[in-house]
Amino acid sequence: MAKLNQIIAVEKGVKSKSLQDINTAHHKVQKPALLAGISRTYQPKDEEGEQLPPESTRVQIKAEDVLREMSASLTRLFDVTATKDWANCSARADVIVDGRTIVSDVPVSYLLFLEKQLTDLHTFVKKLPVLDAAESWALDPSTDWWKTDAVRTIRTKKVPRNHVKAEATDKHPAQVEVYYEDVPIGYWTTVKFSGALPARRVNELVERVEKLQQAVKFAREEANGVEVTDQRVGDAVFGYLFG
C-alpha cells in the first residue's frame, strides 16, 4: 500500500503531464484539416477524354480518440489528487518539543500552515532590538523598562582669560592674548532607559522558534507517512462526461 508522501511526490509530475496532454488535445481539435478527409474519382465525359487518377485524403484525427486520450490522462490526475485529499483528511501527527507535546493530533494541512507562520516568526524574532552591550542594564520595577546606573558628568563653560605677553611701556600698550578656559559650572546625572531586550532573551526566543520549526517538520513527515487507499474518481467522472 502506498504512503501519502509517495502520492505527494508523484502528484507534481502527473499534473505536469496532464496539462501537457490537455494542451496537445486542444491543439489537435483546433486544426480542421486534420479532422477532414476526402475521396474523389474522375470520369471523363467520353472514352477519349483525359484520364485522371483518384484523389483521397485520410482523416488523421478523430475527436472521439482525442477525448479517450485526454480522459485517460485526466483520470490519473483525478485519482492521484483524490487519493491525496482523502488521505489528508486522516493524516495527523503530534508536535513534540523536547518530549513535551505542544499540539496533539494536528492535520497535515495545518502543519503546512504552521511551517509558513513559523518561518515568518523566525525572521521577526531574529530582528528584535537588543540592549547595547556597552552598557550595564537592570530592570526598573517602577517603569518596567531597562535602565543603566546613574553616570555623573561635569558641565563646563568657556570663560575668557587674558594672558599678558608684554607689559605696557610709555611707548607701547600692553600685548594681551585672550584665551578661553573650561570652568566647571554644574553636573549632569544621566540614566539611560530602553525598551529593547537582553541578547540572552532574544537568543532564547530564536532557539524556541527553531525547535518548534523542527518539530513541525518532523510531525509533517510523520503525518505524510500514513498509508493511503487508492481512490478511483476519474472513471466515474469521465464515464459520465464522455461516456
Side-chain angles (χ1 to χ4, degrees):
M1 185 176 288
K3 296 184 181 296
L4 178 55
N5 51 19
Q6 295 172 319
I7 297 298
I8 292 172
V10 303
E11 183 187 24
K12 185 176 180 181
V14 172
K15 280 184 177 179
S16 177
K17 183 179 184 304
S18 295
L19 178 61
Q20 184 178 347
D21 290 345
I22 291 171
N23 288 334
T24 299
H26 176 74
H27 288 125
K28 280 183 178 179
V29 296
Q30 294 303 312
K31 296 179 178 178
L34 299 180
L35 295 160
I38 192 173
S39 175
R40 63 177 185 169
T41 58
Y42 180 78
Q43 182 178 358
K45 188 176 180 181
D46 52 50
E47 294 181 359
E48 295 179 358
E50 182 181 6
Q51 298 291 332
L52 296 177
E55 296 178 357
S56 65
T57 301
R58 295 175 59 85
V59 172
Q60 298 180 57
I61 292 176
K62 288 174 60 181
E64 284 291 348
D65 290 343
V66 174
L67 287 176
R68 276 193 294 273
E69 292 169 3
M70 190 174 70
S71 295
S73 179
L74 286 176
T75 294
R76 173 63 175 156
L77 173 63
F78 278 41
D79 289 349
V80 167
T81 304
T83 300
K84 182 197 73 172
D85 288 347
W86 259 254
N88 276 338
C89 294
S90 59
R92 296 169 178 265
D94 296 341
V95 178
I96 302 172
V97 178
D98 295 335
R100 173 187 171 190
T101 300
I102 307 300
V103 193
S104 301
D105 204 27
V106 187
V108 69
S109 57
Y110 193 77
L111 291 170
L112 289 169
F113 165 79
L114 277 179
E115 279 193 63
K116 172 64 171 64
Q117 295 302 312
L118 288 172
T119 298
D120 295 341
L121 276 173
H122 186 263
T123 300
F124 173 77
V125 170
K126 288 199 75 172
K127 293 183 178 179
L128 285 170
V130 176
L131 294 172
D132 185 356
E135 302 283 356
S136 179
W137 299 92
L139 193 60
D140 181 11
S142 63
T143 61
D144 204 25
W145 300 337
W146 292 92
K147 72 173 185 178
T148 62
D149 294 332
V151 176
R152 194 182 192 198
T153 55
I154 298 174
R155 184 186 176 216
T156 61
K157 180 180 180 180
K158 292 188 179 296
V159 177
R161 302 292 192 205
N162 294 329
H163 171 63
V164 180
K165 297 175 68 177
E167 297 291 342
T169 65
D170 55 351
K171 293 183 178 180
H172 300 284
Q175 294 184 24
V176 179
E177 183 181 72
V178 178
Y179 68 96
Y180 290 87
E181 181 180 354
D182 289 328
V183 178
I185 60 170
Y187 300 92
W188 281 110
T189 300
T190 303
V191 177
K192 295 181 180 179
F193 296 92
S194 177
L197 294 170
R200 182 188 71 256
R201 173 65 171 160
V202 174
N203 291 337
E204 176 187 286
L205 292 174
V206 170
E207 183 181 1
R208 285 188 183 186
V209 173
E210 290 176 349
K211 279 187 176 182
L212 189 54
Q213 282 180 302
Q214 291 301 317
V216 169
K217 287 179 181 178
F218 183 83
R220 177 170 56 81
E221 290 300 321
E222 183 179 350
N224 283 340
V226 67
E227 292 185 342
V228 299
T229 301
D230 287 339
Q231 302 296 327
R232 293 289 182 261
V233 175
D235 285 342
V237 172
F238 291 101
Y240 166 74
L241 287 176
F242 302 142

